[in-house]
Amino acid sequence: MLKTEELQINIGPQHPSTHGVFRMLVTVDGETLVDLKPVFGYLHRNHEQLGEVNTYLQNMPFTDRLDYFNSMVNNHAYARTIETLAGVEVPERAQYIRVIMDELSRILNHATAMGFMLGDMGAWQTALLWGMREREKILDMFEYVSGARMMCNYCRFGGVVRDIDDWFITELKKLMQGLPHYFDDFEGLLLNSEILLARARNIGVLPKELALAYSVTGPVLRGSGVAYDIRKAEPYAVYDRFKFKVPVGTVGDVYDRFLVRIAEMRESYKILEQALEQLPDATGGFINPKVKQQSLKAPAGEAYARVESPKGELGFYVVSDGSGSAYRYKVRAPSFINLSALADMCKGYTIADVVVILGSIDIVMGEVDR
Amino acid sequence: MALLARGELRSILQTQLPNVLDSRWDTQATDQVEAHGEGQTVLLDFDAVVKAEAIVEVAHFVRDTFGYDFLSNITAVDYLKQGLIELVYQFYNAAEGGPDLRVRVRIGRSPEECIVPSLTPTWPGADLQEREAYDMYGVVFPGHPNLARIYMWDEFKGFPMRKDFPKTGDKYTHVTGE
């Protein structure tokens, strides 16, 4: 048999399908991938060191820049960590508002992530723009409550910065009326598309045991068939009061991750409905008035709090020395750790598949490089 | 397979694997937060502190005995005053959920002491996190397949997250621990 030479090529750092400045050093034998080495650091700004210099409140807007699609979720995770550390109580209404924002974030994240993945596959623009259309509506809601579309900076220790009002709730209900229609359209357009099936089925398979060993979280883990969702495993905020399912895949391929994300959007919709129904009136307040936001000092000790971000387990580990800023501030970024499985998922597939597999992990470089 | 309460692992290790606990912190589990004032760094003695060379054994022990099969997070913390670098390993029970199980390793800051065996052969998810701990704190992980810098460029000298790394000065001219 003719022996061919292996070739090393770079995908990225400047490549539209790497979703940011990310380089993959791949070794290929013809079209088939033999090895893949991810190269990081192009967006590194030592976020963790900044967290040690900032006071606790100053650091809140910095967390927006981690996963810039889901700044609401980042704020929530960070606020929860400092609340655990300083022993701050959160009023119930604030917990519900946070849940509403988290679930809206999940819908917008999955809608755009799947749109980008399908764009990478060649389903150029339609799927992405449908996702962007829904995202834009949700961003308008975020802008109304926080003043910013993407860098929301919305949570405070012991609550949120501004209450939601009747206008918001009316508009949210209007927005939600259109969502099931969007889910059905999106599914109907793509679910049985032969091209999608050919490009996504049995591609990038990550078996259950390997997924656990690789510490992947979020839709990637659930796509591999592990029903692990922090909202169920270790309920935070008020998630134990809602009825929702944890969708799981069977094979662990790109198609399963796609299905899990669509199912999760539907579950988020259910949570939103229940949260709006149960939302307590404004008498309890939306923020704990006893907390001194600007001069907050946490007693010496440590805390780790995590939330189910749309991309996986987002956790903050903070060590305090009793002063007004963290002694150690560490971010457990879901897409960073999900990337460790990339090489194994890609081996044996073609270069064109690598782009799709990367899209199915759903990374954002602001969080990977920190 | 059962969930462990906080601090429970230490007493279990004392009876079942007595040689793995670090003798410097093998007293009863005490949460000493109250004793420290402002500006003090705190070494919490609440969780099991194990010897560096025993971390692989302990990680397998908690996985096989109690079902903590999900290694979620590895954090390095530099305790400059105590002259220690602490590594915090957080395990979760993927089947039963619940809070994390923390296992700690405390090592010296000098290059000869700053060594912990790698967990990457069994938990490949530790790969990038161990590289990050090496890049930022200079912890060396023997057994890691590719222990290279991850965020900083390869020629970079020094470990930028250590507390004695200079924070001021021009990034092109200041001495970075050469």
Side-chain angles (χ1 to χ4, degrees), chain A residues 1-222:
Chain A
M1 203 179 126
L2 196 68
K3 182 153 170 46
T4 51
E5 205 175 313
E6 286 176 355
L7 182 70
Q8 252 195 354
I9 52 168
N10 278 310
I11 305 183
Q14 310 290 345
H15 189 280
S17 66
T18 55
H19 303 274
V21 210
F22 174 55
R23 178 154 70 107
M24 290 176 282
L25 187 60
V26 298
T27 314
V28 285
D29 184 2
E31 275 284 306
T32 314
L33 201 111
V34 182
D35 195 17
L36 183 148
K37 277 200 184 102
V39 183
F40 307 91
Y42 294 96
L43 216 62
H44 179 61
R45 56 222 185 265
N46 220 344
H47 176 84
E48 293 180 358
Q49 185 120 60
L50 290 170
E52 293 174 7
V53 180
N54 291 333
T55 65
Y56 290 122
L57 184 64
Q58 275 176 340
N59 200 49
M60 184 68 82
F62 281 77
T63 61
D64 290 339
R65 275 90 181 153
L66 284 169
D67 175 358
Y68 40 79
F69 276 92
N70 308 303
S71 57
M72 288 285 191
V73 186
N74 300 344
N75 289 169
H76 187 182
Y78 177 66
R80 248 172 59 73
T81 312
I82 306 302
E83 282 155 9
T84 318
L85 193 65
V88 173
E89 276 186 29
V90 186
E92 214 167 68
R93 187 175 168 87
Q95 301 273 30
Y96 275 95
I97 296 173
R98 286 177 180 183
V99 166
I100 290 171
M101 299 307 166
D102 279 14
E103 295 311 317
L104 283 174
S105 291
R106 200 177 315 277
I107 292 173
L108 82 82
N109 178 77
H110 287 352
T112 40
M114 289 301 89
F116 278 123
M117 190 188 91
L118 291 157
D120 292 345
M121 267 181 201
W124 184 234
Q125 291 298 353
T126 307
L128 178 59
L129 281 179
W130 283 15
M132 283 291 183
R133 187 186 62 200
E134 298 308 313
R135 173 170 179 256
E136 211 52 46
K137 290 181 197 163
I138 296 172
L139 289 183
D140 283 348
M141 309 298 288
F142 286 177
E143 187 176 7
Y144 179 72
V145 292
S146 72
R149 291 166 73 246
M150 289 175 78
M151 303 294 125
C152 295
N153 187 16
Y154 185 55
C155 289
R156 290 292 179 273
F157 310 122
V160 293
V161 71
R162 228 171 270 125
D163 202 359
I164 57 176
D165 57 13
D166 292 340
W167 187 90
F168 179 86
I169 292 171
T170 327
E171 287 298 306
L172 181 58
K173 281 180 180 158
K174 264 192 229 164
L175 187 157
M176 280 171 61
Q177 275 174 4
L179 281 177
H181 187 61
Y182 160 70
F183 301 147
D184 293 341
D185 273 0
F186 193 64
E187 255 186 18
L189 178 71
L190 296 154
L191 213 55
N192 297 313
S193 149
E194 200 169 331
I195 299 171
L196 178 76
L197 291 177
R199 289 297 305 273
R201 265 195 159 164
N202 295 318
I203 300 292
V205 178
L206 186 68
K208 200 173 175 178
E209 294 73 31
L210 213 55
L212 274 175
Y214 267 116
S215 311
V216 296
T217 44
V220 184
L221 181 66
R222 290 191 285 276

Side-chain angles (χ1 to χ4, degrees), chain B residues 52-171:
Chain B
E53 58 270 25
I55 183 63
V56 181
E57 191 188 343
V58 174
H60 281 92
F61 176 74
V62 296
R63 183 188 66 177
D64 300 336
T65 321
F66 304 107
Y68 282 88
D69 49 358
F70 191 80
L71 172 62
S72 165
N73 196 6
I74 301 173
T75 310
V77 191
D78 183 8
Y79 288 100
L80 184 62
K81 269 183 204 159
Q82 288 89 341
L84 292 168
I85 285 190
E86 181 181 74
L87 285 164
V88 187
Y89 294 81
Q90 284 167 290
F91 293 90
Y92 284 101
N93 191 325
E96 296 183 39
D100 58 335
L101 179 74
R102 282 176 211 171
V103 178
R104 292 160 196 276
V105 169
R106 285 169 189 167
I107 45 178
R109 298 175 84 255
S110 67
E112 300 84 48
E113 295 171 294
C114 209
I115 298 166
V116 182
S118 171
L119 288 184
T120 308
T122 332
W123 280 271
D127 179 354
L128 300 179
Q129 305 194 58
E130 285 180 345
R131 275 179 71 188
E132 193 188 346
Y134 166 70
D135 192 3
M136 295 292 150
Y137 286 90
V139 185
V140 177
F141 296 92
H144 191 288
N146 174 30
L147 195 68
R149 285 195 177 271
I150 184 163
Y151 290 139
M152 310 307 284
W153 53 103
D154 289 343
E155 298 78 22
F156 189 82
K157 296 264 186 348
F159 305 108
M161 282 292 280
R162 284 198 176 195
K163 289 282 174 187
D164 52 0
F165 189 84
K167 283 198 185 67
T168 52
D170 191 290
K171 64 178 172 178

